[in-house]
Amino acid sequence: MEDVTITILLLGDEKVGKTTFLSRISGGSSSLDGHAPITLLRDIDQPFVFEIKNRKRTYRLKFYDTSCPENWRLLKPDLVLICYDVSQRESLISMQRIWIKEVHSTFQTSDHLPVVVVGLKRDLRSGSNPNGVTHPEEGYKVSQDMRVDKYVECSAVTGELLKLAFEEICNTAAKTVVESGGQSEGGCVIL
């Protein structure tokens, strides 16, 4: 069985839920339903490594959060996850104005680098939220405008759609090691 290491970089504003997302998936497949308690990971322990196995390969997914290493621009990621908080419109705007531009200006391979937008904190979406809640359609539209490969949403706290989101991230990561790459054909896919 062949072992493959894939570097995944999480980008996004502070406090959008990246650490909670990584902490939840670090508990393994049994914690993805949201019932197990979350033990928050520490930034100094990065990269966070997860092993995924199928019949042909073992994939070592090395996740890096933007808070560490100090200069994430030195990394050479195989996959970028741009994260935002669905309960905070500012983070959606920041994703479009700042983070996608950072990807294109920082990584020379940005034409071939797959990018997935991850809407986090789905459990905090409510119509009465004064902070400018966003709806899935808006996140998807912005993702299409940014010309990313996929759009997923989930809640790391409740586990809502977390398993599906993680599976899509893993599938995209696995595709980065094949000749066709991890980019989707013809634009953004909503999941």
Side-chain angles (χ1 to χ4, degrees):
M1 191 181 301
E2 181 182 351
D3 286 3
V4 177
T5 299
I6 300 168
T7 301
I8 302 172
L9 176 62
L10 279 79
L11 296 175
D13 293 349
E14 286 186 74
K15 304 201 182 301
V16 296
K18 299 182 302 288
T19 301
T20 303
F21 172 74
L22 288 172
S23 298
R24 172 63 75 193
I25 63 176
S26 73
S29 60
S30 62
S31 74
L32 296 179
D33 61 8
H35 296 301
I38 300 173
T39 303
L40 288 180
L41 300 171
R42 301 176 313 163
D43 289 338
I44 61 171
D45 294 333
Q46 292 192 53
F48 305 117
V49 180
F50 306 101
E51 287 196 356
I52 310 292
K53 297 178 183 184
N54 68 15
R55 290 182 221 169
K56 298 177 184 176
R57 293 187 166 132
T58 297
Y59 297 95
R60 284 179 43 92
L61 306 179
K62 293 172 72 174
F63 285 85
Y64 289 90
D65 191 348
T66 44
S67 57
C68 186
E70 285 199 17
N71 195 345
W72 55 266
R73 289 170 180 85
L74 298 176
L75 291 173
K76 293 183 175 152
D78 301 301
L79 172 62
V80 172
L81 306 179
I82 301 179
C83 303
Y84 80 102
D85 177 348
V86 301
S87 69
Q88 300 287 329
R89 182 167 301 280
E90 281 182 28
S91 68
L92 178 72
I93 293 166
S94 179
M95 179 180 72
Q96 190 173 25
R97 290 187 181 163
I98 297 170
W99 294 109
I100 193 67
K101 291 177 182 175
E102 285 286 338
V103 170
H104 292 302
S105 67
T106 303
F107 304 113
Q108 300 299 322
T109 60
S110 64
D111 288 346
H112 306 290
L113 180 64
V115 177
V116 175
V117 167
V118 183
L120 297 170
K121 298 188 180 182
R122 185 176 164 93
D123 56 301
L124 298 181
R125 179 182 281 138
S126 73
S128 61
N129 186 334
N131 295 318
V133 67
T134 62
H135 298 282
E137 300 82 18
E138 293 174 271
Y140 179 65
K141 171 84 170 79
V142 168
S143 298
Q144 283 183 315
D145 292 346
M146 291 176 8
R147 302 182 59 81
V148 300
D149 298 288
K150 289 187 180 168
Y151 174 81
V152 296
E153 275 191 12
C154 64
S155 168
V157 172
T158 65
E160 181 184 8
L161 297 177
L162 183 61
K163 186 174 182 179
L164 177 63
F166 187 59
E167 285 174 0
E168 284 304 317
I169 291 166
C170 290
N171 288 337
T172 303
K175 289 178 184 174
T176 64
V177 298
V178 297
E179 191 175 326
S180 60
Q183 289 188 309
S184 62
E185 294 179 23
C188 184
V189 177
I190 190 169
L191 301 164

